[in-house]
Structure formats: C-alpha cells, structure tokens
C-alpha cells in the first residue's frame, strides 16, 4: 500500500472526473463543428467554463482554457512589456520567464515583504506585478487582496498564480483586484495538461499560441474537450467541498507534533497563514533526497523541496528567499494532502518516520 502525500505536485484525479472524461472521449466530436456531435462537445466546454468561472467568482466569458498554468503564466508574462515585478518565491513558470526584471523581497516567514513592495511600486514603476496566492512548497497564503488593491490604486496590472489556492482557500477575482489569474487542472482533481487563464473584462489578453479562432480567438488549437470537461467538474467539486478542506489541518498538526520532537527541526512558514494541507520542514544534518528515497521504500510518496524542479538537485529557491541557509534548504521535505487523504495515510507516514528515525 502506498500513502500518497504529494498533492501539491499533482492530485489524484477524482473518480467522478475520470468517469466524465471517459464519457466525453467516447462521445467524441470537435467543439467547432456545427453538427450535433460538435454541439455536444461544445456544451461540455461551455459548462466547464461556467464551473471554472464559479470557482474564482468571476464571469465565464473571461475564462480561456489553456494547457496548464505554465501556459497561462507565460501568456501574461511574455505578453507584456516590462518592467515586470515578481517575488522571489514564484514558480519557475513565472521567474524563469521574466529573468532580469524586478524581484520583490520575501520575509523569513514566507510572506511577501510589503515595505519592499511599496518601494518597488513607488521607485521602479512596474507595469505588471505577479504574485502567487499560495506557495507550492510552504503552503503560505499571501495577502493577495491587499497587494491587488495597491496595484489597482497605481494602475499596475496584477497577475495571480492561483494554482495552489484552488480548492484550498476561497478565490475571488474581483475582491483580489486581479487582472489575470492562472489555474491548473491537475492541482485540483483534474488531469494534467489542462488549465485556465482568467482575465479582467476589457483587459487585452496577449496571444501566445496563434492559429485558429478557438477560445474566442484568444488561444488557438482544438480544445482538449475531455480534460476541459473534467477540469470543470473538478473545479465544481473543489468549490463545493471547500469547507471540508479544514479536516486536513488535524492531520497536518498531528504530523508536525511528531516531527517537531527531533531537535532542530524547522517548520517553514509555521505561525504564518498556511493552507491546511501542506507542511514543509527541514531536519538538520540530513539530505532531503536521501530521506525522500527512504520514505519511498517505506511506501510514502512525498517530495523534497519542490517536485516541479525535481531532478535538479539545488536547494529550494523558495526557502532561500526566506533566508533559510543552504544546508537547511537542502534538507527540506514537503508533505501535501488533499481530497482523498485519510487517517491511514497519516498513520503510514508516522510509522515510516519511526522506522527511518531522521
Ligand atoms: N504555478 C504553481 C504554483 C505550481 O505549483 C505549478 C505546478 N507545479 C505551476 C504553476 C505550473 O502548472 P502546470 O503544471 O499546469 O503547468
């Protein structure tokens, strides 16, 4: 039996979503075709658009389906003239795209440094600011509405990578003062390879993929109908079950109470607003890669630092931005839970922890 504790890397697909995707694939049809099969496929897409819009509390005509958040982030960041300001804890699909632009400092607790943000806004004249709502490594929740208000007051475009917020906290496009917001299906119970970019009415959307007139001429290419339908259902379920997400807090606390007993353990972002599902911690004088493999042998799937950059054995840039030293940043493990996590997954982790004795 494997205990899967790596939801921030990818969530297991909900069975209802798998069933729906199977149905859509069996029915087939190109959503641009005018005949009954095409209209049927189109309906799946438009229903999903409503469901995704509902997840972020905005209008369905402002949702563009993409291949994932990497594409959504690239559309916004590649499509705007600088200067662009981002934080040091952004995902590579943001900071690798704007290399050389302005970096906003991060505080040791994982929150954006609001004083530095003020300085950046007032002294560096950015045209666009991009901030992640929930960090994929630490689970720290940023004060997005506050940052968005500052941007709005100064007429700066505001992009939010809300990938790790979906289904974990309430997302409100208007209240957050967003101009653009990226989502990814596989972080909320849908398959990999589908996502959405939500844009403010009347804000021009930069085109990354040109060709046909799909997605109201904003993103060319025949739609991934089945995955989009699945994403819609997953978004609906994530929104409906938001209040149940709290239950994961008890699991996280139980895990953290045990690991804290090891001298010198550091829980990153502890005491800061964090999502209930994520715990990122460093055990002194250990190597995260080795620990992760030991857990793997014990049947526990978790991640060392960020799975998004796995294969690259570098200390986490997120933790480094919080001032964590190289040794501690290289020994960081991340546990992340979600819709299908049960007490038995937690028990399996705790028993592996006793066997490994980090
Ligand atoms: N942003 C964040 C915060 C993420 O966690 C990820 C996925 N690791 C992405 C963007 C990229 O999403 P996708 O896999 O859909 O391209």
């Amino acid at each position: 039996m494997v205990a899967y504790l790596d939801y921030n890397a990818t969530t297991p697909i909900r069975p209802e979503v798998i069933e729906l995707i199977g149905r859509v694939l069996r029915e087939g049809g190109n959503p641009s075709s005018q005949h009954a099969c095409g209209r049927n496929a189109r309906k799946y897409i438009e229903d999903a658009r409503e469901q995704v819009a509902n997840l972020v509390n905005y209008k369905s005509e402002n949702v563009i389906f993409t291949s994932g958040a990497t594409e959504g982030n690239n559309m916004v960041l590649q499509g705007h003239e600088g200067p662009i300001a981002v934080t040091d804890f952004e995902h590579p699909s943001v900071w690798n795209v704007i290399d050389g632009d302005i970096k906003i400092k991060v505080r040791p607790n994982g929150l954006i440094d609001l004083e530095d943000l003020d300085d950046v806004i007032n002294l560096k004249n950015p045209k666009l600011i991009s901030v992640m709502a929930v960090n994929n490594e630490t689970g720290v929740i940023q004060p997005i509405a506050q940052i968005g208000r500052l941007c709005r007051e100064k007429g700066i475009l505001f992009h939010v990578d809300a990938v790790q917020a979906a289904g974990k906290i309430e997302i409100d496009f208007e209240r957050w003062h967003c101009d653009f917001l990226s989502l990814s299906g596989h972080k909320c119970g849908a398959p990999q390879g589908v996502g959405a970019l939500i844009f403010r009415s009347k804000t021009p959307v930069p085109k990354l993929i040109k060709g046909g007139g799909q997605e109201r001429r904003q993103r060319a290419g025949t739609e991934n109908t089945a995955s989009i339908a699945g994403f819609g259902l997953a978004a609906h379920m994530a929104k409906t079950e938001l209040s149940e997400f709290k239950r994961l807090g008890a699991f996280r606390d139980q895990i953290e109470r045990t690991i804290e007993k090891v001298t010198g353990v550091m829980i990153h972002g502890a005491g800061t607003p964090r999502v209930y599902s994520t715990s990122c911690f460093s055990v002194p004088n250990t190597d995260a890669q080795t620990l992760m493999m030991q857990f793997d042998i014990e049947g526990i799937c978790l991640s060392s630092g960020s799975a998004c950059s796995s294969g690259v054995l570098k200390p986490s840039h997120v933790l480094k931005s919080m001032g964590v030293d190289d040794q501690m940043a290289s020994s960081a493990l991340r546990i992340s839970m979600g819709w299908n996590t049960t007490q038995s997954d937690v028990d399996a982790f705790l028993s592996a922890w006793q066997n490994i004795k980090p």
Side-chain angles (χ1 to χ4, degrees):
M1 262 289 284
V2 165
Y4 186 78
L5 296 170
D6 204 11
Y7 277 63
N8 289 10
T10 208
T11 52
I13 308 180
R14 290 183 185 261
E16 297 87 342
V17 170
I18 294 179
E19 203 188 303
L20 174 64
I21 288 177
R23 193 165 80 227
V24 179
L25 287 173
R26 277 191 299 275
E27 290 174 10
N30 183 325
S32 295
S33 298
Q34 306 289 306
H35 49 63
C37 280
R39 291 198 306 275
N40 185 51
R42 168 63 46 205
K43 172 135 176 48
Y44 282 118
I45 291 182
E46 296 316 318
D47 287 350
R49 208 183 299 284
E50 290 284 344
Q51 289 167 314
V52 169
N54 195 32
L55 177 67
V56 302
N57 205 12
Y58 202 53
K59 294 174 278 186
S60 58
E61 70 251 35
N62 295 60
V63 174
I64 302 170
F65 287 112
T66 62
S67 64
T70 297
E71 184 186 327
N73 290 348
N74 270 267
M75 279 168 84
V76 176
L77 295 157
Q78 283 195 42
H80 284 93
E81 291 288 312
I84 296 175
V86 306
T87 74
D88 266 333
F89 55 68
E90 295 307 316
H91 189 264
S93 59
V94 167
W95 57 252
N96 270 342
V97 181
I98 59 109
D99 217 19
D101 281 54
I102 308 162
K103 294 281 168 66
I104 307 161
K105 288 189 191 132
V106 181
R107 292 182 23 216
N109 61 8
L111 286 171
I112 185 169
D113 185 330
L114 289 170
E115 279 175 26
D116 193 51
L117 173 68
D118 249 350
D119 286 348
V120 164
I121 288 178
N122 292 318
L123 305 174
K124 306 223 166 129
N125 203 21
K127 300 276 182 296
L128 176 100
I129 291 184
S130 179
V131 180
M132 189 190 271
V134 170
N135 188 265
N136 49 313
E137 294 186 33
T138 61
V140 169
I141 305 169
Q142 301 299 324
I144 290 295
Q146 196 180 345
I147 302 167
R149 197 172 47 248
L150 286 172
C151 291
R152 178 58 40 86
E153 281 165 11
K154 301 281 180 183
I156 300 165
L157 288 172
F158 185 42
H159 168 245
V160 176
D161 174 340
V163 166
Q164 298 288 349
K168 297 175 185 156
I169 59 170
E170 208 161 309
I171 302 178
D172 194 316
F173 192 87
E174 279 287 12
R175 200 174 59 75
W176 284 6
H177 306 283
C178 298
D179 294 291
F180 299 102
L181 184 144
S182 313
L183 293 174
S184 173
H186 73 107
K187 309 293 180 163
C188 63
Q192 296 155 355
V194 65
L197 179 71
I198 296 93
F199 65 99
R200 175 167 292 280
S201 297
K202 301 199 177 78
T203 302
V205 182
K207 268 191 211 157
L208 190 66
I209 301 178
K210 296 174 189 164
Q214 290 90 352
E215 291 300 279
R216 299 183 178 90
R217 307 202 164 277
Q218 286 153 329
R219 196 269 187 185
T222 304
E223 297 89 338
N224 181 354
T225 310
S227 291
I228 289 173
F231 180 27
L233 178 56
H236 170 72
M237 295 180 78
K239 172 120 181 173
T240 317
E241 293 174 17
L242 194 56
S243 59
E244 285 167 39
F245 200 72
K246 266 198 210 77
R247 77 185 175 89
L248 300 174
F251 293 160
R252 185 190 65 187
D253 293 349
Q254 195 186 354
I255 287 171
E256 291 189 348
R257 274 200 303 272
T258 299
I259 60 178
E260 263 171 350
K261 289 184 187 144
V262 177
T263 314
V265 160
M266 202 173 178
I267 297 175
H268 304 291
T272 313
R274 274 187 301 161
V275 291
Y276 294 111
S277 54
T278 304
S279 182
C280 180
F281 53 90
S282 294
V283 188
N285 307 316
T286 60
D287 168 60
Q289 212 59 24
T290 312
L291 274 181
M292 195 202 69
M293 285 188 278
Q294 286 175 301
F295 276 107
D296 191 27
I297 291 164
E298 295 274 335
I300 312 293
C301 296
L302 45 71
S303 146
S304 61
S306 163
C308 305
S309 52
S310 62
V312 186
L313 295 176
K314 278 204 295 199
S316 146
H317 74 282
V318 174
L319 299 181
K320 288 191 74 174
S321 78
M322 293 162 65
V324 177
D325 67 39
D326 271 10
Q327 202 286 313
M328 285 301 256
S330 308
S331 61
L333 292 179
R334 179 189 70 189
I335 286 167
S336 52
M337 303 172 279
W339 66 270
N340 203 26
T341 306
T342 61
Q343 182 67 48
S344 67
D345 296 314
V346 177
D347 292 344
F349 169 80
L350 293 174
S351 130
W353 181 266
Q354 296 312 335
N355 294 342
I356 294 168
K357 293 190 179 47

